[in-house]
Amino acid sequence: MQLKLTVPFNLDLSVSCGQSFRWRKINGFWYAPVGDSVWKVKQEGDTLFYEGASDADIIRYFGLDIPLDDILQDIDRDELIHSAVASCRGLRLHRQPPFECLISYICATCANIPGIQLRVENLAKMYGRELKSDGMTFYTFPNPEDLACESPENVRLCKVGYRDKYICGAAAYAAENPQWAADIFSMSYADAKRELTSLSGVGQKVADCVLLFAFEKYEAVPIDVWMERIFRTRYLGSEKKLSYEKAAGYAREHFGRYAGYAQEYLFAEREILAKKGE
DNA sequence: CAGGTC
DNA sequence: ACTGG
């Protein structure tokens, strides 16, 4: 199947910027298990080629229905974001499956991106279902029930370390409240964040990632070590470390209602920014 | 020493 | 405090 893009989109950047953890580039195609099938996607200019997904699946997952130009125009409020927008235009936030996103970011604390990918892959291998595509083996992300019935000791065999009990707790929550994702979708950002942070192992940063990457809450501005550094040195010129509220609050005030999108563009450019010095 | 949390 | 790049 193929789709002619009439809107800006950069597949490579979108799947490799660190928002999702299961995409792999093999022989020019990006592969990932999404839901119950393996998706195979390639972009050539303004054409997307894909297998394993419907047009509607692709549009929804990659957020091709979101008015990116309007958002980028709205957040383009200073020189730094202007250059990030210029060099990363086409980067789109995905609509990730909520449960997978939640567990993935619980796995993301105190770990680098390769480490997160490894843990998520281990969980899928152990508790997901096997899928074949082009002779390769992939694993679906487990359902809440698949993890909820496991002991932390077993889950720990996936090399998740101290996060074992957080994963089991979050799985039990999702399994016992099948409507949890629908509820969070319908909540305001503040209520949704309160709900997610009530889970053990889910603090402000993890909650904001899940709200931004799975629930379309663009007010969510995840503040990791990189974002704290950027807001401290580039925006606020502060000597000491910024509190989470101060950094995120400043971002929302400065960038407006799509501050989460601005965060992702700045994050995508973090390596360039890091090279310019502290 | 790494996309934090309890 | 787990774990590994």
Side-chain angles (χ1 to χ4, degrees), chain A residues 60 94-98 101 185 209-216:
Chain A
R60 171 155 187 84
H94 301 168
R95 288 190 181 99
Q96 295 186 41
C101 189
F185 256 116
C209 286
V210 177
L211 291 171
L212 184 60
F213 300 138
F215 291 104
E216 304 171 49

Side-chain angles (χ1 to χ4, degrees), chain A residues 11 15 20-24 30-41 50-54 56-63 94-98 100-101 120-121 124 129-133 137-143 213:
Chain A
L11 175 68
V15 299
S20 54
F21 302 103
R22 307 206 66 200
W23 291 94
R24 304 286 181 272
W30 286 100
Y31 292 80
V34 181
D36 289 324
S37 47
V38 176
W39 291 15
K40 176 181 176 185
V41 191
Y50 47 92
E51 296 170 28
S54 69
D57 289 338
I58 292 287
I59 290 168
R60 171 155 187 84
Y61 182 90
F62 291 116
H94 301 168
R95 288 190 181 99
Q96 295 186 41
E100 174 172 350
C101 189
V120 173
E121 211 56 49
R129 214 158 35 76
E130 189 177 294
L131 297 174
K132 295 281 190 185
S133 177
T137 305
F138 297 84
Y139 298 89
T140 62
F141 194 80
N143 296 314
F213 300 138

Side-chain angles (χ1 to χ4, degrees), chain A residues 13-29:
Chain A
L13 201 49
S14 298
V15 299
S16 62
C17 69
Q19 60 177 316
S20 54
F21 302 103
R22 307 206 66 200
W23 291 94
R24 304 286 181 272
K25 196 171 198 175
I26 302 156
N27 297 329
F29 276 94

Side-chain angles (χ1 to χ4, degrees), chain A residues 114-127:
Chain A
I116 304 166
Q117 289 176 338
L118 188 73
R119 292 184 173 100
V120 173
E121 211 56 49
N122 287 342
L123 287 169
K125 212 170 277 180
M126 190 96 80
Y127 298 109

Side-chain angles (χ1 to χ4, degrees), chain A residues 21-22 24 103-127 141-142 147 155-164 167:
Chain A
F21 302 103
R22 307 206 66 200
R24 304 286 181 272
I103 300 298
S104 297
Y105 281 95
I106 285 175
C107 290
T109 61
C110 274
N112 48 28
I113 290 174
I116 304 166
Q117 289 176 338
L118 188 73
R119 292 184 173 100
V120 173
E121 211 56 49
N122 287 342
L123 287 169
K125 212 170 277 180
M126 190 96 80
Y127 298 109
F141 194 80
L147 285 169
V155 171
R156 196 167 190 137
L157 299 175
C158 298
K159 308 297 183 186
V160 296
Y162 63 89
R163 306 164 190 85
D164 57 356
I167 293 168

Side-chain angles (χ1 to χ4, degrees), chain A residues 53-101:
Chain A
S54 69
D55 296 354
D57 289 338
I58 292 287
I59 290 168
R60 171 155 187 84
Y61 182 90
F62 291 116
L64 297 174
D65 55 329
I66 300 292
L68 184 62
D69 277 328
D70 295 346
I71 292 173
L72 297 184
Q73 192 172 353
D74 190 16
I75 63 175
D76 190 359
R77 302 185 183 191
D78 63 71
E79 288 178 14
L80 195 57
I81 191 72
H82 186 79
S83 77
V85 166
S87 57
C88 301
R89 184 175 293 274
L91 167 59
R92 282 174 185 269
L93 294 178
H94 301 168
R95 288 190 181 99
Q96 295 186 41
F99 183 65
E100 174 172 350
C101 189

